[in-house]
Amino acid sequence: MSTPNSRVPPGSDDDRAARVALTWLVEPGNRTVWSMVQSHGAPETVERLMRGAIPDGALQAAVLARAGDFDPRRMAEETLRRAAQLGARIVVPADDEWPRRVDSLAVLELDSPGHINLNVRPPLCLWVRGSWPLGDALERSVSVVGARAATGYGKQVTGDIAYGLAEHGWTVVSGGAFGIDAAAHRAALAAGGLTVAVLACGVDRPYPAGNAAMFERIAETGLLISEWPPSSEPLKHRFLIRNRVIAAATTGTVVVEAAARSGALQTMNRVLALGRPAMIVPGPVTSAMSVGCHELLRANPGATLVTGLPHVLETVGRMGEYYAEPARGPEHRRDALDEESALVLEAVPAKGAARPEELATRAGLALRTVLRRLSLLELAGLVERRDDGFALPRPSPDGSAGREATR
Amino acid sequence: MSTPNSRVPPGSDDDRAARVALTWLVEPGNRTVWSMVQSHGAPETVERLMRGAIPDGALQAAVLARAGDFDPRRMAEETLRRAAQLGARIVVPADDEWPRRVDSLAVLELDSPGHINLNVRPPLCLWVRGSWPLGDALERSVSVVGARAATGYGKQVTGDIAYGLAEHGWTVVSGGAFGIDAAAHRAALAAGGLTVAVLACGVDRPYPAGNAAMFERIAETGLLISEWPPSSEPLKHRFLIRNRVIAAATTGTVVVEAAARSGALQTMNRVLALGRPAMIVPGPVTSAMSVGCHELLRANPGATLVTGLPHVLETVGRMGEYYAEPARGPEHRRDALDEESALVLEAVPAKGAARPEELATRAGLALRTVLRRLSLLELAGLVERRDDGFALPRPSPDGSAGREATR
């Protein structure tokens, strides 16, 4: 760690270790700690907390009680070493793969001052298991959340929506719980899509254990992420702290079933406060599992009633910051590309195919960026995947190009 | 009928007969005919139509084709005689019992100019079977409408809402159809409440015949009403014309189940255009019978999602023009009374009971007005019904009065 007078560059080993120490000392999202990190950097913040040099007495007492005889620097180093053995990495705001949307929590203001609203600021770091770059995985993503005690109806509707989102190239984000969350993850996996579980415990011990096989599949093809260091327990209050990340990291959020006063309602209040699309699936008024959904729709003119995938795509499609709606022909689709996608597309040879590694070299981009862009370009019908790499689609007899014409 | 130069007093026999003739010559709600009646009176309008002296050529041709060799004056007299034999009466705007709310159709403007929107003006007259004064019956009323092909879910929810409305002294209005309409009428009857069926055919032959026993019960305890003269057939387009009366005659309207592009949606568009409470019950997104309800909620920020009786009472309670929400004690309830109710209450003797006829004399009000007010006052716990008439509630031991204390 640094001394008080030396600022440590963000993203350095010291910065990472300090952020790990901070999430071990104080629950993530803490307003005071986050502000101190913004002003003084993470290492300096650790020093001040350990020295007892902060004005917030309650926070100071909690930190010292938590630290006890432990040295936070050594704890952090030990945690980072263990995480590496487990195949988990830490991502901090200075990293390319940091998911920028979560930083909008920096200015989130909530009406009710309740205890849990103290923990509403952006994450200091995120632990990740899985190989996709985190930011890319969340770029076009939709949260699908709801009741643990979901009904058959809720799980069916969730499955339809999540499967369709994955088919359309959207990452499905949820909390890994039983019920709606698991139905969302499983449908995305079944569609061969990308899914991200945002956990309220360590990524080495995803909760609940009953979903262990599902979590392994998510770690293999998608991502398990958490603000808490490996081996952290899923304490009850952590789910509410976690929910703000589900709300802030994605383009929009769908709630499928929710009982009165459930956690999904709190997630949706975050979504609404952030001005993101808040999509609610109604249900039978005779079902206790839809009471919360109907409450949300009655209380929030800004919430959108959705009855299935078309409404969800219509809603989040409007928000697409990086990717336009499918247009009429390949020329229109090309025009709508972001710069990186355009570079990748230009690198694809006019005849024959090229492997992603070659394309990365030609385009001057990182391999992971190229992989992500290729996946989107393929969905848009602008490239096609072959045994020997990626190629432009073969023109159809009438001169147009596109997946319709070539498959 | 009158000559062109003599204005006939509204409500006179000539006025009544002319209105009957007009609804026989032209479908109700016609903009041109209604405006002519406003300007020149009903008898003069009949004369002009029969003389071929109106500028609207299409309307003129339709009238003459319809009239054929018949004399509209004789048709009207015959119809009025037949109606009297059937126990049906005609109510016109000049009558005390005319339901004033329907006159708000005079200024209704709709976005879509479709054919059926030509028939959107107030009724010229209403045929009534049943003994309640029409205006009183509709004073505190809620329409409950929806799909004919209702599901068990829809009928259950309808029954709960309609039964509760009747228990709370609200008249339940619907269209007499199978499905949601019938469930609403039957629940109101089961609760011993008042229910009104607004028909698209003659009140002597309520449609559908499968609901005949229900219609007989409604005629005995509530009202069957229609704009069309006795023996008129339930032609398809008449249901759409009829719907504007359901929308305009009541405090608010609840749609429980509706398929895409159903008649209930058209009713609700009228309700919204009139600025009345438009209450929609959601359902499973997997049910075709809820598609229309969800469409309405998505398309109309002014529509209110309701999940049951409490939401409906909360919504229409706010609109109560004649009657306040139950307040905390009898004094508060008295303060909230309209003038007629206050007169009736003042006429009730401090000791003993009085019969409605005596109360009518003392209050200087019509007997039917007194009967209606007594019913409301009894619901509010401000009077109680005894074998020898109506009396003030006996004070309870703690000095308060009210139905809780006296029953």
Side-chain angles (χ1 to χ4, degrees), chain A residues 323-364:
Chain A
Y323 201 71
E325 287 283 84
R328 279 156 299 170
E331 292 72 24
H332 293 89
R333 290 202 287 270
R334 274 172 188 261
D335 290 346
L337 291 179
D338 64 285
E339 193 183 336
E340 285 179 350
S341 298
L343 288 171
V344 172
L345 190 60
E346 275 176 35
V348 178
K351 286 190 177 181
R355 296 197 174 282
E357 293 77 4
E358 297 172 57
L359 295 172
T361 308
R362 287 195 209 175

Short mmCIF file of all heavy atoms in Angstrom, two decimals, chain A residues 323-364:
data_model
loop_
_atom_site.label_atom_id
_atom_site.label_comp_id
_atom_site.label_asym_id
_atom_site.label_seq_id
_atom_site.Cartn_x
_atom_site.Cartn_y
_atom_site.Cartn_z
N TYR A 323 -25.47 -0.40 -31.03
CA TYR A 323 -25.90 -1.31 -32.07
C TYR A 323 -27.27 -0.91 -32.54
O TYR A 323 -28.17 -0.72 -31.74
CB TYR A 323 -25.96 -2.72 -31.47
CG TYR A 323 -25.88 -3.80 -32.50
CD1 TYR A 323 -24.69 -4.04 -33.17
CD2 TYR A 323 -27.00 -4.55 -32.80
CE1 TYR A 323 -24.61 -5.04 -34.12
CE2 TYR A 323 -26.92 -5.55 -33.75
CZ TYR A 323 -25.73 -5.80 -34.41
OH TYR A 323 -25.66 -6.77 -35.34
N ALA A 324 -27.41 -0.75 -33.84
CA ALA A 324 -28.68 -0.28 -34.35
C ALA A 324 -29.65 -1.44 -34.55
O ALA A 324 -29.27 -2.60 -34.61
CB ALA A 324 -28.49 0.47 -35.64
N GLU A 325 -30.89 -1.10 -34.71
CA GLU A 325 -31.92 -2.08 -35.08
C GLU A 325 -31.56 -2.68 -36.44
O GLU A 325 -30.99 -2.00 -37.28
CB GLU A 325 -33.27 -1.36 -35.23
CG GLU A 325 -33.89 -0.96 -33.94
CD GLU A 325 -34.50 -2.17 -33.25
OE1 GLU A 325 -33.76 -2.89 -32.57
OE2 GLU A 325 -35.70 -2.39 -33.40
N PRO A 326 -31.92 -3.92 -36.68
CA PRO A 326 -31.69 -4.50 -38.00
C PRO A 326 -32.36 -3.63 -39.06
O PRO A 326 -33.53 -3.31 -38.95
CB PRO A 326 -32.38 -5.86 -37.92
CG PRO A 326 -32.45 -6.18 -36.48
CD PRO A 326 -32.55 -4.87 -35.77
N ALA A 327 -31.62 -3.23 -40.06
CA ALA A 327 -32.19 -2.39 -41.11
C ALA A 327 -32.56 -3.26 -42.30
O ALA A 327 -32.48 -4.48 -42.25
CB ALA A 327 -31.22 -1.30 -41.51
N ARG A 328 -32.89 -2.61 -43.40
CA ARG A 328 -33.46 -3.38 -44.50
C ARG A 328 -32.44 -4.22 -45.25
O ARG A 328 -32.72 -5.30 -45.69
CB ARG A 328 -34.18 -2.44 -45.47
CG ARG A 328 -35.56 -2.05 -45.01
CD ARG A 328 -35.96 -0.75 -45.63
NE ARG A 328 -35.04 0.31 -45.22
CZ ARG A 328 -35.03 1.51 -45.74
NH1 ARG A 328 -35.85 1.82 -46.71
NH2 ARG A 328 -34.19 2.42 -45.31
N GLY A 329 -31.25 -3.74 -45.43
CA GLY A 329 -30.27 -4.50 -46.21
C GLY A 329 -28.90 -4.39 -45.58
O GLY A 329 -28.70 -3.65 -44.62
N PRO A 330 -27.91 -5.11 -46.15
CA PRO A 330 -26.57 -5.11 -45.56
C PRO A 330 -25.95 -3.72 -45.56
O PRO A 330 -25.21 -3.38 -44.63
CB PRO A 330 -25.76 -6.06 -46.45
CG PRO A 330 -26.70 -6.64 -47.43
CD PRO A 330 -28.04 -5.99 -47.30
N GLU A 331 -26.24 -2.90 -46.57
CA GLU A 331 -25.66 -1.56 -46.59
C GLU A 331 -26.13 -0.76 -45.39
O GLU A 331 -25.36 -0.09 -44.73
CB GLU A 331 -26.03 -0.82 -47.88
CG GLU A 331 -25.39 -1.40 -49.13
CD GLU A 331 -26.01 -2.73 -49.52
OE1 GLU A 331 -27.17 -2.96 -49.14
OE2 GLU A 331 -25.33 -3.56 -50.16
N HIS A 332 -27.44 -0.85 -45.11
CA HIS A 332 -27.96 -0.14 -43.96
C HIS A 332 -27.34 -0.66 -42.68
O HIS A 332 -27.01 0.09 -41.78
CB HIS A 332 -29.48 -0.29 -43.88
CG HIS A 332 -30.19 0.39 -45.00
ND1 HIS A 332 -30.47 -0.23 -46.19
CD2 HIS A 332 -30.66 1.66 -45.11
CE1 HIS A 332 -31.10 0.62 -46.99
NE2 HIS A 332 -31.23 1.77 -46.37
N ARG A 333 -27.18 -1.98 -42.62
CA ARG A 333 -26.61 -2.54 -41.39
C ARG A 333 -25.17 -2.08 -41.22
O ARG A 333 -24.73 -1.75 -40.14
CB ARG A 333 -26.70 -4.06 -41.44
CG ARG A 333 -28.13 -4.57 -41.31
CD ARG A 333 -28.18 -6.01 -40.83
NE ARG A 333 -27.77 -6.95 -41.86
CZ ARG A 333 -28.61 -7.51 -42.73
NH1 ARG A 333 -29.88 -7.23 -42.71
NH2 ARG A 333 -28.16 -8.37 -43.62
N ARG A 334 -24.42 -2.03 -42.34
CA ARG A 334 -23.04 -1.55 -42.26
C ARG A 334 -22.99 -0.10 -41.76
O ARG A 334 -22.14 0.25 -40.96
CB ARG A 334 -22.38 -1.59 -43.65
CG ARG A 334 -21.76 -2.92 -44.01
CD ARG A 334 -21.32 -2.86 -45.47
NE ARG A 334 -20.89 -4.17 -45.95
CZ ARG A 334 -19.62 -4.53 -46.03
NH1 ARG A 334 -18.65 -3.71 -45.66
NH2 ARG A 334 -19.29 -5.73 -46.48
N ASP A 335 -23.87 0.71 -42.29
CA ASP A 335 -23.86 2.12 -41.90
C ASP A 335 -24.04 2.29 -40.40
O ASP A 335 -23.58 3.26 -39.82
CB ASP A 335 -25.00 2.87 -42.61
CG ASP A 335 -24.72 3.00 -44.10
OD1 ASP A 335 -23.57 2.75 -44.50
OD2 ASP A 335 -25.66 3.34 -44.83
N ALA A 336 -24.75 1.35 -39.79
CA ALA A 336 -25.09 1.50 -38.38
C ALA A 336 -24.01 0.95 -37.46
O ALA A 336 -24.16 0.98 -36.25
CB ALA A 336 -26.41 0.77 -38.11
N LEU A 337 -22.92 0.43 -38.02
CA LEU A 337 -21.91 -0.21 -37.18
C LEU A 337 -21.10 0.79 -36.37
O LEU A 337 -20.81 1.89 -36.84
CB LEU A 337 -20.95 -1.02 -38.06
CG LEU A 337 -21.52 -2.26 -38.75
CD1 LEU A 337 -20.42 -2.90 -39.58
CD2 LEU A 337 -22.05 -3.23 -37.72
N ASP A 338 -20.71 0.36 -35.19
CA ASP A 338 -19.75 1.16 -34.42
C ASP A 338 -18.37 0.99 -35.05
O ASP A 338 -18.15 0.14 -35.91
CB ASP A 338 -19.75 0.70 -32.97
CG ASP A 338 -19.28 -0.72 -32.84
OD1 ASP A 338 -20.07 -1.63 -33.18
OD2 ASP A 338 -18.12 -0.93 -32.44
N GLU A 339 -17.41 1.79 -34.60
CA GLU A 339 -16.11 1.85 -35.26
C GLU A 339 -15.36 0.51 -35.21
O GLU A 339 -14.82 0.06 -36.21
CB GLU A 339 -15.26 2.96 -34.61
CG GLU A 339 -14.04 3.31 -35.42
CD GLU A 339 -13.18 4.35 -34.71
OE1 GLU A 339 -13.74 5.09 -33.87
OE2 GLU A 339 -11.98 4.41 -34.97
N GLU A 340 -15.37 -0.14 -34.05
CA GLU A 340 -14.63 -1.40 -33.92
C GLU A 340 -15.21 -2.48 -34.83
O GLU A 340 -14.48 -3.22 -35.49
CB GLU A 340 -14.67 -1.88 -32.46
CG GLU A 340 -13.73 -1.06 -31.57
CD GLU A 340 -13.78 -1.50 -30.12
OE1 GLU A 340 -14.67 -2.31 -29.77
OE2 GLU A 340 -12.93 -1.05 -29.35
N SER A 341 -16.57 -2.54 -34.87
CA SER A 341 -17.20 -3.54 -35.73
C SER A 341 -16.85 -3.27 -37.18
O SER A 341 -16.61 -4.20 -37.96
CB SER A 341 -18.71 -3.53 -35.54
OG SER A 341 -19.04 -3.87 -34.22
N ALA A 342 -16.83 -2.00 -37.55
CA ALA A 342 -16.50 -1.64 -38.93
C ALA A 342 -15.07 -2.06 -39.27
O ALA A 342 -14.79 -2.58 -40.36
CB ALA A 342 -16.68 -0.14 -39.15
N LEU A 343 -14.13 -1.87 -38.30
CA LEU A 343 -12.74 -2.29 -38.52
C LEU A 343 -12.65 -3.80 -38.72
O LEU A 343 -11.95 -4.28 -39.60
CB LEU A 343 -11.86 -1.86 -37.33
CG LEU A 343 -11.58 -0.35 -37.21
CD1 LEU A 343 -10.88 -0.05 -35.89
CD2 LEU A 343 -10.71 0.10 -38.40
N VAL A 344 -13.38 -4.54 -37.91
CA VAL A 344 -13.35 -6.00 -38.02
C VAL A 344 -13.92 -6.41 -39.37
O VAL A 344 -13.34 -7.25 -40.08
CB VAL A 344 -14.15 -6.66 -36.87
CG1 VAL A 344 -14.27 -8.17 -37.10
CG2 VAL A 344 -13.49 -6.36 -35.53
N LEU A 345 -15.02 -5.79 -39.75
CA LEU A 345 -15.66 -6.16 -41.02
C LEU A 345 -14.75 -5.85 -42.20
O LEU A 345 -14.64 -6.64 -43.15
CB LEU A 345 -16.99 -5.41 -41.15
CG LEU A 345 -17.90 -5.86 -42.31
CD1 LEU A 345 -18.28 -7.33 -42.17
CD2 LEU A 345 -19.16 -5.00 -42.35
N GLU A 346 -14.03 -4.72 -42.14
CA GLU A 346 -13.10 -4.37 -43.20
C GLU A 346 -11.96 -5.38 -43.30
O GLU A 346 -11.41 -5.59 -44.39
CB GLU A 346 -12.49 -2.98 -42.95
CG GLU A 346 -13.35 -1.86 -43.48
CD GLU A 346 -12.74 -0.51 -43.12
OE1 GLU A 346 -11.51 -0.39 -43.11
OE2 GLU A 346 -13.53 0.42 -42.83
N ALA A 347 -11.62 -5.98 -42.17
CA ALA A 347 -10.49 -6.92 -42.15
C ALA A 347 -10.86 -8.28 -42.75
O ALA A 347 -9.98 -9.07 -43.10
CB ALA A 347 -9.99 -7.11 -40.71
N VAL A 348 -12.17 -8.55 -42.87
CA VAL A 348 -12.58 -9.83 -43.46
C VAL A 348 -12.26 -9.81 -44.95
O VAL A 348 -12.63 -8.85 -45.64
CB VAL A 348 -14.09 -10.07 -43.23
CG1 VAL A 348 -14.52 -11.39 -43.88
CG2 VAL A 348 -14.41 -10.08 -41.75
N PRO A 349 -11.54 -10.83 -45.45
CA PRO A 349 -11.12 -10.80 -46.87
C PRO A 349 -12.31 -10.89 -47.82
O PRO A 349 -13.35 -11.47 -47.48
CB PRO A 349 -10.23 -12.05 -47.01
CG PRO A 349 -10.62 -12.94 -45.89
CD PRO A 349 -11.08 -12.05 -44.77
N ALA A 350 -12.13 -10.33 -49.01
CA ALA A 350 -13.20 -10.32 -50.00
C ALA A 350 -13.49 -11.74 -50.48
O ALA A 350 -14.62 -12.10 -50.79
CB ALA A 350 -12.83 -9.44 -51.18
N LYS A 351 -12.44 -12.57 -50.55
CA LYS A 351 -12.63 -13.98 -50.91
C LYS A 351 -12.03 -14.85 -49.82
O LYS A 351 -10.99 -14.53 -49.26
CB LYS A 351 -11.94 -14.28 -52.25
CG LYS A 351 -12.68 -13.70 -53.44
CD LYS A 351 -12.10 -14.23 -54.75
CE LYS A 351 -12.91 -13.71 -55.92
NZ LYS A 351 -12.43 -14.21 -57.22
N GLY A 352 -12.67 -15.96 -49.55
CA GLY A 352 -12.14 -16.88 -48.54
C GLY A 352 -12.42 -16.38 -47.14
O GLY A 352 -13.09 -15.37 -46.94
N ALA A 353 -11.88 -17.11 -46.17
CA ALA A 353 -12.15 -16.81 -44.76
C ALA A 353 -10.86 -16.45 -44.03
O ALA A 353 -9.76 -16.69 -44.53
CB ALA A 353 -12.80 -18.02 -44.10
N ALA A 354 -11.03 -15.84 -42.85
CA ALA A 354 -9.87 -15.53 -42.00
C ALA A 354 -10.20 -15.91 -40.57
O ALA A 354 -11.35 -15.79 -40.13
CB ALA A 354 -9.53 -14.04 -42.10
N ARG A 355 -9.17 -16.37 -39.86
CA ARG A 355 -9.37 -16.74 -38.45
C ARG A 355 -9.36 -15.48 -37.59
O ARG A 355 -8.78 -14.47 -37.97
CB ARG A 355 -8.26 -17.69 -38.00
CG ARG A 355 -8.30 -19.00 -38.75
CD ARG A 355 -7.49 -20.09 -38.06
NE ARG A 355 -7.69 -21.35 -38.76
CZ ARG A 355 -8.77 -22.12 -38.64
NH1 ARG A 355 -9.75 -21.77 -37.82
NH2 ARG A 355 -8.88 -23.23 -39.34
N PRO A 356 -10.01 -15.54 -36.44
CA PRO A 356 -10.09 -14.35 -35.57
C PRO A 356 -8.72 -13.75 -35.26
O PRO A 356 -8.58 -12.53 -35.21
CB PRO A 356 -10.77 -14.90 -34.31
CG PRO A 356 -11.58 -16.06 -34.78
CD PRO A 356 -10.81 -16.66 -35.93
N GLU A 357 -7.69 -14.61 -35.09
CA GLU A 357 -6.35 -14.09 -34.77
C GLU A 357 -5.84 -13.20 -35.90
O GLU A 357 -5.28 -12.13 -35.67
CB GLU A 357 -5.37 -15.24 -34.52
CG GLU A 357 -5.67 -16.07 -33.27
CD GLU A 357 -6.82 -17.06 -33.47
OE1 GLU A 357 -7.36 -17.18 -34.61
OE2 GLU A 357 -7.24 -17.68 -32.47
N GLU A 358 -6.02 -13.68 -37.15
CA GLU A 358 -5.61 -12.87 -38.31
C GLU A 358 -6.36 -11.54 -38.35
O GLU A 358 -5.79 -10.48 -38.62
CB GLU A 358 -5.92 -13.59 -39.62
CG GLU A 358 -5.20 -14.91 -39.85
CD GLU A 358 -5.75 -15.59 -41.10
OE1 GLU A 358 -5.72 -14.98 -42.19
OE2 GLU A 358 -6.28 -16.74 -40.98
N LEU A 359 -7.69 -11.65 -38.10
CA LEU A 359 -8.52 -10.44 -38.16
C LEU A 359 -8.07 -9.43 -37.11
O LEU A 359 -8.05 -8.22 -37.36
CB LEU A 359 -10.00 -10.80 -37.95
CG LEU A 359 -10.60 -11.67 -39.07
CD1 LEU A 359 -12.00 -12.13 -38.68
CD2 LEU A 359 -10.64 -10.89 -40.38
N ALA A 360 -7.69 -9.95 -35.93
CA ALA A 360 -7.24 -9.06 -34.85
C ALA A 360 -5.99 -8.31 -35.29
O ALA A 360 -5.86 -7.11 -35.07
CB ALA A 360 -6.99 -9.88 -33.58
N THR A 361 -5.06 -9.02 -35.92
CA THR A 361 -3.82 -8.40 -36.39
C THR A 361 -4.13 -7.34 -37.44
O THR A 361 -3.68 -6.19 -37.35
CB THR A 361 -2.90 -9.47 -36.99
OG1 THR A 361 -2.76 -10.53 -36.04
CG2 THR A 361 -1.54 -8.88 -37.31
N ARG A 362 -4.95 -7.72 -38.44
CA ARG A 362 -5.26 -6.78 -39.52
C ARG A 362 -6.00 -5.54 -39.02
O ARG A 362 -5.76 -4.44 -39.49
CB ARG A 362 -6.18 -7.45 -40.55
CG ARG A 362 -5.46 -8.47 -41.41
CD ARG A 362 -6.33 -8.80 -42.62
NE ARG A 362 -6.08 -10.14 -43.08
CZ ARG A 362 -6.76 -10.74 -44.05
NH1 ARG A 362 -7.76 -10.11 -44.64
NH2 ARG A 362 -6.47 -11.96 -44.41
N ALA A 363 -6.92 -5.76 -38.08
CA ALA A 363 -7.75 -4.65 -37.61
C ALA A 363 -7.06 -3.84 -36.53
O ALA A 363 -7.50 -2.74 -36.18
CB ALA A 363 -9.08 -5.17 -37.09
N GLY A 364 -5.97 -4.41 -35.98
CA GLY A 364 -5.28 -3.70 -34.90
C GLY A 364 -6.09 -3.66 -33.62
O GLY A 364 -6.07 -2.69 -32.86
#
